[in-house]
Amino acid sequence: MSGYAPQISARAASLRPSGIRRFFDLLEERRDAISLGIGEPDFLTPWHIRDSGIYSLEKGFTKYTPNAGISALRAECARYMERRFGLSYDPAGEILVTVGGSEALDLCVRATVNPGDEVLIPQPSFVAYGPVVALAGGVPVPLAMSEGNGFKLTPSLLASALTPRARVLVLPYPCNPTGAILKKDDLPALAGVLARSNILVLSDEIYAELTYGCRHASIAGEPGMKERTVVVGGLSKSHSMTGWRMGFAYGPRELIAQMTKIHQYAIMSAPTTSQYAALTALRDGDTFVESMRESYNGRRRYMLDGLRAAGFSCFEPRGAFYLFPSIRAYGIGSEEFCEKLLLSQNVAVIPGNAFGESGEGFIRICYAVSVENLKESLIRIERFVRQL
Amino acid sequence: MKRVLKLLENDASLGAGQIALLLGVGEADVERDIAAARREGILLGSRSVINWEKAGGDYVTAMIEVRVTPQRGEGFDRVAERIYQFDEVESLYLMSGGYDLQAVVIGKSLKDVARFVAEKLSTLEQVTGTCTHFLLKKYKEGGVVYARPDDAQERVAYL
Ligand SMILES: Cc1ncc(COP(=O)(O)O)c(C=O)c1O
């Protein structure tokens, strides 16, 4: 059979391959490059957590679990959310265990968006939001965040985007790729605007544990907001568990029920071994999280200082593990900048426009790599910009 | 000072400037902490971690349990001192339990170590008995894993 075009759905065909992918193809060929590209912790999963996964296998826990996840894990999720963020959710009905935060995002969109509905997506942000919305037949509406506002969603921008077709707002904080966060006192004004609409908030809080200098505050903690917010959490970033695929959705009972229905047909249940490991992670993991956060924070300061010393204008991020320096001063686009940097100095960073058009003029640097590599990459980046 | 020491313990090559950035404190403070730690005998030195097995270093290591008679007024310290002065003794610990001192002894060959034990260690008048265990494989030492299986995991292609 030649030419599968007729067999490929229009929606699938319309998705553009991730902008980051091209760089990884280039990077593949350059084994000795330093990669500041992948958005992934550099720590292995703490041994206690891995050990719990292994123990569950030894005990023979190899079957499907309840669709929503094992009840002990949901109960632990509830305790964790209460302890860490002061949010209370009922383990029976308001919590769903998913295959990474990724699945939780997808489920929430699929459960709430009708064809033609608009989903507001502040950008630059995670690459998956737009495609997930498009696959559900929704219309992604990018909202351009600016460095001048600390890459925060402002109440006025939100208000101006609230059309009658707008059904969901994605709230991507702490933000990949900018590292921006929303502080507790940023939230009431946003909640005020949202209260005047019928919009649902999909709050992607996968980086909630990685904030520096203040605790993460969830929009769901604002008066009246819990009823219209689905919080997405997960262990990938906070507990260095990307490969385990453990995510969680927290929200109103009716919405979680719809999401669970889709999950039940598409996935059945999240990986069993991972759920038992997750139980230990949430119950006993706070000190690991604390020490990893401290370590990221040190590298954040180190890299920010190094980039500024090399002449970059760079916003100080308070969350996640990314820096998002401007490269406008060098007179070339972000893609060209990244490609040349990789080819000439063997350092991989991601062009900002991979995260939305408003990311043009910036690059994303992931500092979740060893200090030794950060040190060397700073030398190379400085050498590169000097000859631009 | 403890936070400075923690960083140095993991990577002695960090300069005061880098440590200051990593901790979010002033460079002068870090320098002062390091100087004080040296002066007070807290920071005793810094050395590299070398996997000699890979580098082709030929030597054997033995863990030796030593039973001794403590001396009046000196306890174990005097005999311990007599033992750790030997260059062959890499480490020496006073232990609770079935024996008194644990010596880690390094030699060029089994014979070398055996000779040291027979001629130097067990002939000390306070030593009443020894038991020598030879080290076969080093998995982890000083927090560093030596025998790590190859990291062959394939990685994510996008993100
Ligand atoms: C902002 C954001 N949300 C969600 C995810 C998905 O993570 P996971 O599916 O591993 O939980 C990522 C991963 O990079 C992310 O950066």
Side-chain angles (χ1 to χ4, degrees), chain A residues 72-209:
Chain A
L73 176 56
R74 280 178 281 130
E76 204 55 56
C77 282
R79 276 193 286 273
Y80 169 84
M81 290 300 270
E82 182 79 56
R83 174 174 83 241
R84 296 293 302 153
F85 309 113
L87 298 173
S88 55
Y89 288 99
D90 181 359
E94 295 183 332
I95 300 176
L96 172 62
V97 180
T98 59
V99 180
S102 300
E103 195 215 347
L105 296 171
D106 186 43
L107 290 177
C108 178
V109 169
R110 287 209 267 169
T112 58
V113 171
N114 282 312
D117 285 347
E118 292 178 354
V119 175
L120 310 181
I121 304 177
Q123 286 183 343
S125 60
F126 184 42
V127 295
Y129 304 135
V132 158
V133 169
L135 281 172
V139 180
V141 179
L143 308 182
M145 304 297 99
S146 72
E147 188 176 14
N149 292 324
F151 292 110
K152 286 178 188 182
L153 175 61
T154 60
S156 57
L157 181 58
L158 174 61
S160 71
L162 288 177
T163 68
R165 299 243 57 169
R167 175 161 299 254
V168 177
L169 164 71
V170 176
L171 204 56
Y173 296 99
C175 186
N176 166 15
T178 60
I181 63 170
L182 293 180
K183 295 221 172 86
K184 180 84 186 138
D185 55 7
D186 292 320
L187 297 174
L190 288 173
V193 175
L194 291 165
R196 280 177 258 127
S197 75
N198 231 339
I199 204 164
L200 187 85
V201 180
L202 170 48
S203 189
D204 183 352
E205 304 182 15
I206 196 93
Y207 291 100
E209 285 284 8

